[in-house]
Amino acid sequence: PVVFDASGTMTVKNSYKISQGARMVMDLDDHVLALAKGSTVPKDVEGLVGLLHRAMPKELFDPSEHAMDTTYLDGDLRLVRLTGPRFEGIRNVFIRRGSMEINPV
């Protein structure tokens, strides 16, 4: 297995428009890798991107041509359903950081 000795952030940049009241229709604009201070550029950048792609939910890596419908929302929790050609019916749960503790059993 390839080992990457680098750290940093990866940003998925999207554009969106709101339609049908609360539906957010998304399109991918760009992926941006920003290395942390002191990190060196990996020799296999494509391999690093592939590793990140496999580790992320596909609908977050490339949400093009998809819409997000918020099906539940309160101050700490958001439930979202995706609609579109590749990820129809996928649901995501977003929890506000620090608002609750989750202890999987």
Side-chain angles (χ1 to χ4, degrees):
V2 178
V3 176
F4 294 98
D5 186 23
S7 63
T9 60
M10 178 178 167
T11 304
V12 179
K13 293 187 175 190
N14 297 304
S15 54
Y16 66 91
K17 65 181 178 185
I18 305 296
S19 68
Q20 298 179 14
R23 178 170 282 184
M24 185 167 63
V25 180
M26 300 172 294
D27 281 304
L28 177 67
D29 293 332
D30 201 5
H31 293 106
V32 178
L33 286 173
L35 293 174
K37 191 173 186 173
S39 285
T40 58
V41 176
K43 291 179 183 172
D44 184 8
V45 175
E46 254 184 54
L48 176 59
V49 172
L51 181 69
L52 291 168
H53 181 257
R54 289 187 299 279
M56 287 180 68
K58 305 297 181 237
E59 68 274 13
L60 298 179
F61 190 85
D62 182 5
S64 289
E65 301 175 11
H66 283 79
M68 292 174 63
D69 295 324
T70 298
T71 57
Y72 177 81
L73 175 67
D74 69 17
D76 298 320
L77 187 68
R78 175 186 300 249
L79 303 179
V80 173
R81 178 181 51 128
L82 274 80
T83 59
R86 292 176 290 154
F87 307 119
E88 182 68 37
I90 287 180
R91 276 129 172 113
N92 287 313
V93 177
F94 299 95
I95 301 170
R96 184 178 304 280
R97 186 179 312 189
S99 68
M100 59 182 73
E101 186 174 323
I102 299 175
N103 295 315
V105 178

